[in-house]
Amino acid sequence: MDSMIKRLELQRIGKSAGTSNDCNKSDGANRMPAQKLISTGTLGPANRGRLLQALYDMGASSRADLARFTGVNRGTIGGIVQPLINQGILAEGEVIPPSEAGGKPATKLWFSKNARPICAVLLTHNRVRSCLVSLDGEIYAQHATDFPKDLKDASDAFRIVSTCVEETISSANLPILGIGVAAAGMINTETGSIVTVSLAPYFDGFPVGTELAERFGVNTCVDQDTRALLVGDRWFGQGRGRRTFAVVYIGEALGGALYLDGHPYRGPAGAGGEIGHTIVQLNGHVCQCGRRGCWETIASLRWLRDEARARGLQQPHLLNAGRLLTLAGGGVKGAKELLQEYAFNISVGLANLQHLMALNCIILHGDVVRGGKTMLNLIEGSFRELVFHRPDEEITLAFGDSEDVAALRGAASLFLSELLNFVI
Ligand SMILES: [Zn+2]
């Protein structure tokens, strides 16, 4: 993998690894030619990237399957695969016996257990978490540290972050490929800097990508947490194999992210995806952003708890979608109605998103996932009543993986996405 990454870096940015958050700088569709030609020298890495993408999309596959899927002959596949095996990125596994018609047995290829892992970092206002993620999505070497409540200085916060990352990296038997950071806030994806993390003002403007890259000597990608969930779903979740889909996170806040035609859509410097602040209620409640009637004001955990309080439900501050479901199932007065209203309010914004983008798949994350199948069915029922019906067009609404797993894989996937996508 070393040589592969080295070549990617040289071709993409003309720099050696480890001195800046290059992954972030490579984004920016605005700054790159829309239809950049692939030079002869770039074809090798491009084909390697596409073959690895095909493996993620199909799962463990034989060379013949890969040849069929990518539309090239087996000789070409063999020429790409062998160096990846030699470098310890791929390994041969299960043997597929020949068919009754004869032929040779085939072996399935998958990511090697000995391939270098990616370090994933999750940054929120009160906590940093880090872990290693293998190329096939296994999570291990988890570490977490809470920030002290009286923390005021970015350099103190970074010391805690880098110690946590150091503990994770030192648990690895191998050097890491790079670091992916998902932060719960606004991120400048051009620079890898935090614009703002709610409730943690000391992080404002902090160049976390550059600092981590310099501290650990590897490339680092930084993005907001919802977009991390998006790319996590693309490689390891229900977005696998899809070229276009959306993720919507519904928890304390509400955010969205789009994967369009094979790439995460970020908008200028990562400013896109503020779907929680699309206005759904004229003169509605005041939002955290200072405006009125944002979708977030009627479809978030904050709304749910405020409503529960107003309707006299017990312990409203502890309410979440899972607990509400239990209360509704237990016949607690007002719980069923609140559950239905929460689902309807969520479906309103989803319908707006659907009408704008004509998506075939929207994956929901966050607290709402705790509501399980019942919650999903309620949301889906309202959603289907609100959206245009397109004959022969399937629209999938789905819940993502449990929040912890999805978020950690997502952070690692920020790095993986850049590694696989940059030349396409
Ligand atoms: Zn708002």
PDB file of all heavy atoms in Angstrom, residues 276-277 287-291 294, ligand 1:
ATOM      1  N   GLY A 276     -31.481  20.598   7.634  1.00  0.00           N
ATOM      2  CA  GLY A 276     -32.218  20.839   8.879  1.00  0.00           C
ATOM      3  C   GLY A 276     -32.734  22.261   8.978  1.00  0.00           C
ATOM      4  O   GLY A 276     -33.644  22.554   9.740  1.00  0.00           O
ATOM      5  N   HIS A 277     -32.148  23.153   8.175  1.00  0.00           N
ATOM      6  CA  HIS A 277     -32.549  24.566   8.245  1.00  0.00           C
ATOM      7  C   HIS A 277     -33.356  25.000   7.029  1.00  0.00           C
ATOM      8  O   HIS A 277     -33.518  26.193   6.780  1.00  0.00           O
ATOM      9  CB  HIS A 277     -31.315  25.437   8.486  1.00  0.00           C
ATOM     10  CG  HIS A 277     -30.606  25.026   9.736  1.00  0.00           C
ATOM     11  ND1 HIS A 277     -31.105  25.294  10.997  1.00  0.00           N
ATOM     12  CD2 HIS A 277     -29.494  24.263   9.916  1.00  0.00           C
ATOM     13  CE1 HIS A 277     -30.315  24.740  11.902  1.00  0.00           C
ATOM     14  NE2 HIS A 277     -29.332  24.110  11.277  1.00  0.00           N
ATOM     15  N   CYS A 287     -35.386  28.578  15.713  1.00  0.00           N
ATOM     16  CA  CYS A 287     -34.404  27.496  15.601  1.00  0.00           C
ATOM     17  C   CYS A 287     -33.107  27.908  16.309  1.00  0.00           C
ATOM     18  O   CYS A 287     -32.883  29.079  16.593  1.00  0.00           O
ATOM     19  CB  CYS A 287     -34.153  27.242  14.117  1.00  0.00           C
ATOM     20  SG  CYS A 287     -32.968  25.965  13.761  1.00  0.00           S
ATOM     21  N   GLN A 288     -32.231  26.926  16.534  1.00  0.00           N
ATOM     22  CA  GLN A 288     -30.900  27.233  17.095  1.00  0.00           C
ATOM     23  C   GLN A 288     -30.132  28.209  16.201  1.00  0.00           C
ATOM     24  O   GLN A 288     -29.281  28.950  16.669  1.00  0.00           O
ATOM     25  CB  GLN A 288     -30.074  25.965  17.187  1.00  0.00           C
ATOM     26  CG  GLN A 288     -30.519  25.008  18.268  1.00  0.00           C
ATOM     27  CD  GLN A 288     -29.467  23.935  18.458  1.00  0.00           C
ATOM     28  OE1 GLN A 288     -28.587  24.079  19.292  1.00  0.00           O
ATOM     29  NE2 GLN A 288     -29.560  22.865  17.686  1.00  0.00           N
ATOM     30  N   CYS A 289     -30.455  28.190  14.905  1.00  0.00           N
ATOM     31  CA  CYS A 289     -29.733  29.047  13.953  1.00  0.00           C
ATOM     32  C   CYS A 289     -30.259  30.482  13.989  1.00  0.00           C
ATOM     33  O   CYS A 289     -29.714  31.356  13.327  1.00  0.00           O
ATOM     34  CB  CYS A 289     -29.846  28.483  12.539  1.00  0.00           C
ATOM     35  SG  CYS A 289     -31.484  28.682  11.814  1.00  0.00           S
ATOM     36  N   GLY A 290     -31.332  30.719  14.744  1.00  0.00           N
ATOM     37  CA  GLY A 290     -31.866  32.068  14.856  1.00  0.00           C
ATOM     38  C   GLY A 290     -33.025  32.342  13.906  1.00  0.00           C
ATOM     39  O   GLY A 290     -33.708  33.351  14.045  1.00  0.00           O
ATOM     40  N   ARG A 291     -33.249  31.457  12.950  1.00  0.00           N
ATOM     41  CA  ARG A 291     -34.371  31.636  12.030  1.00  0.00           C
ATOM     42  C   ARG A 291     -35.598  30.899  12.572  1.00  0.00           C
ATOM     43  O   ARG A 291     -35.504  30.204  13.584  1.00  0.00           O
ATOM     44  CB  ARG A 291     -33.980  31.107  10.640  1.00  0.00           C
ATOM     45  CG  ARG A 291     -32.938  31.988   9.979  1.00  0.00           C
ATOM     46  CD  ARG A 291     -32.094  31.268   8.959  1.00  0.00           C
ATOM     47  NE  ARG A 291     -30.958  32.091   8.568  1.00  0.00           N
ATOM     48  CZ  ARG A 291     -29.813  32.185   9.254  1.00  0.00           C
ATOM     49  NH1 ARG A 291     -29.655  31.477  10.360  1.00  0.00           N
ATOM     50  NH2 ARG A 291     -28.845  32.964   8.850  1.00  0.00           N
ATOM     51  N   CYS A 294     -37.524  26.173  10.879  1.00  0.00           N
ATOM     52  CA  CYS A 294     -36.642  25.190  10.226  1.00  0.00           C
ATOM     53  C   CYS A 294     -37.168  23.780  10.507  1.00  0.00           C
ATOM     54  O   CYS A 294     -37.787  23.521  11.544  1.00  0.00           O
ATOM     55  CB  CYS A 294     -35.228  25.290  10.767  1.00  0.00           C
ATOM     56  SG  CYS A 294     -34.456  26.889  10.496  1.00  0.00           S
TER      57      CYS A 294
HETATM   58 ZN    ZN B   1     -32.432  26.661  11.589  1.00  0.00          ZN
END
